[in-house]
Structure formats: C-alpha cells, structure tokens
C-alpha cells in the first residue's frame, strides 16, 4: 500500500509540474512566449500531442487548478482557526479536535483531487505518451535534485537542514 501511495505521489508531482507549472507561464505580459511557454511547446512536440490533446490538457489544468486553489484556501483558513484556538490558554485537545477533523478531511480531499488529476491526464494521453511523460518528469526531477537531498527530492537524514 505504501508503494502504491508513493507511486501516486510521484505521478501527482509529475502531473502538477506538467499541467500547472508549464501552462502558468506560457505567455508574458507582452503576449510573447516565455521560457516556460517555449518549454511547453518543446514538450508538446516531444510527446507528440495533438491539438485536441493540448486543448483537453489546458481545460483539465484549469479545472484542477481551481479545485486545488479552493482546497488550499480552506486549509489555510483552518490552520488560522487552529492557531488562534491554540493561543487560548484554556484550549484543550478536545476543544480543537473539530478543527483538526476538518483539516484532515480537507487533506483527504486534496489527495483525492491529486489522484483524479493524474487519471484525467492519463485518459488524455496515450499509454506511450504517458510513459514518456513520466520518464521526462523523472529525469527533470532528478536534474533539480539539490545537494543533501535523496532521490525523491527530500532532505536526507543527518544533512543538518
């Protein structure tokens, strides 16, 4: 089960990079292609996306972004509520438990949304494109791995940070 969750999280990370980061910086203020827009064009060519796939991915990205934005906003509000509640000297575990339960529910929704996003992209791409996409994202992730981090990009134990 842990391996399945790890795989799902890696796929989510790849999808998040693929669908949000690249689209978000497609064009600058002057309407010219930005560095990220050029990278998207390159990736589109490398994966061999059709115009229809490109449009579907854009619609999917916008829908996923909006849903995740709402979840992040709600989570931020709950963290604020929890922080305020914990500042109260009379706060007890049972008094903050309802807020904690709501935060857990939001986190669960976030994970579900991430998995839904992965499967949405998987439905748009062909199996070959999806495999190639995952390979490209893994390569990119490893290139951006900084010093003192393990291969998943997390800090290694004992690195001091």
């Amino acid at each position: 089960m842990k391996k399945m969750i790890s795989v799902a999280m890696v796929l989510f990370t790849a999808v998040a990079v693929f669908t949000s980061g690249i689209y978000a910086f497609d064009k600058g203020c002057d309407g010219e292609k930005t560095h990220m827009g050029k990278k998207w064009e390159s990736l589109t060519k490398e994966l061999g996306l059709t115009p229809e796939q490109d449009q579907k991915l854009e619609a999917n990205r916008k829908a996923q972004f909006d849903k995740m934005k709402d979840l992040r906003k709600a989570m931020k509000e709950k963290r604020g509520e929890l922080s305020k509640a914990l500042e109260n000297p009379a706060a007890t575990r049972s008094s903050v438990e309802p807020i904690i339960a709501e935060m857990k529910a939001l986190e669960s929704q976030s994970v579900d949304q991430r998995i839904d996003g992965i499967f949405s992209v998987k439905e748009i791409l062909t199996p070959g494109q999806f495999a190639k996409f995952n390979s490209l994202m893994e390569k990119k992730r490893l290139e951006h791995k900084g010093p003192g981090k393990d291969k998943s990009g997390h800090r290694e134990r004992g690195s001091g940070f």
Side-chain angles (χ1 to χ4, degrees):
M1 182 67 171
K2 286 183 181 181
K3 186 174 183 177
M4 187 173 162
I5 290 172
S6 295
V7 169
M9 291 309 290
V10 167
L11 287 174
F12 164 72
T13 302
V15 170
V17 168
F18 181 64
T19 59
S20 62
I22 294 174
Y23 279 118
F25 301 104
D26 187 37
K27 293 187 179 180
C29 296
D30 57 3
E32 301 249 342
K33 289 282 184 189
T34 63
H35 177 69
M36 292 303 286
K38 291 175 184 173
K39 281 187 172 186
W40 173 248
E41 284 181 354
S42 172
L43 187 61
T44 299
K45 289 177 184 172
E46 199 162 347
L47 291 176
L49 297 181
T50 66
E52 181 182 356
Q53 286 176 312
D54 194 24
Q55 290 171 350
K56 285 181 179 180
L57 286 174
E58 174 66 13
N60 179 62
R61 184 207 58 84
K62 286 180 180 177
Q64 294 296 321
F65 179 82
D66 290 343
K67 290 175 187 174
M68 292 303 284
K69 181 180 173 185
D70 293 342
L71 285 171
R72 283 189 302 271
K73 181 181 177 187
M75 188 59 132
K76 184 177 182 179
E77 290 171 1
K78 291 299 168 192
R79 278 193 300 269
E81 284 181 38
L82 180 62
S83 180
K84 189 172 184 173
L86 290 172
E87 289 174 2
N88 181 350
T92 64
R93 176 77 177 181
S94 61
S95 69
V96 297
E97 197 62 45
I99 300 170
I100 294 169
E102 291 176 34
M103 291 175 73
K104 288 177 181 178
L106 289 169
E107 190 64 34
S108 176
Q109 289 175 27
S110 179
V111 171
D112 289 342
Q113 190 60 42
R114 290 173 188 155
I115 299 303
D116 289 346
I118 291 167
F119 282 107
S120 295
V121 170
K122 196 172 185 177
E123 289 175 11
I124 295 168
L125 300 177
T126 65
Q129 288 171 326
F130 191 72
K132 188 170 187 176
F133 165 74
N134 285 328
S135 174
L136 291 169
M137 292 302 109
E138 177 68 11
K139 179 181 173 188
K140 185 174 202 68
R141 189 182 60 75
L142 291 174
E143 287 173 0
H144 289 345
K145 182 185 92 163
K149 293 184 181 179
D150 63 14
K151 73 177 195 174
S152 67
H154 295 96
R155 293 265 174 217
E156 292 176 348
R157 292 182 187 241
S159 67
F161 295 100

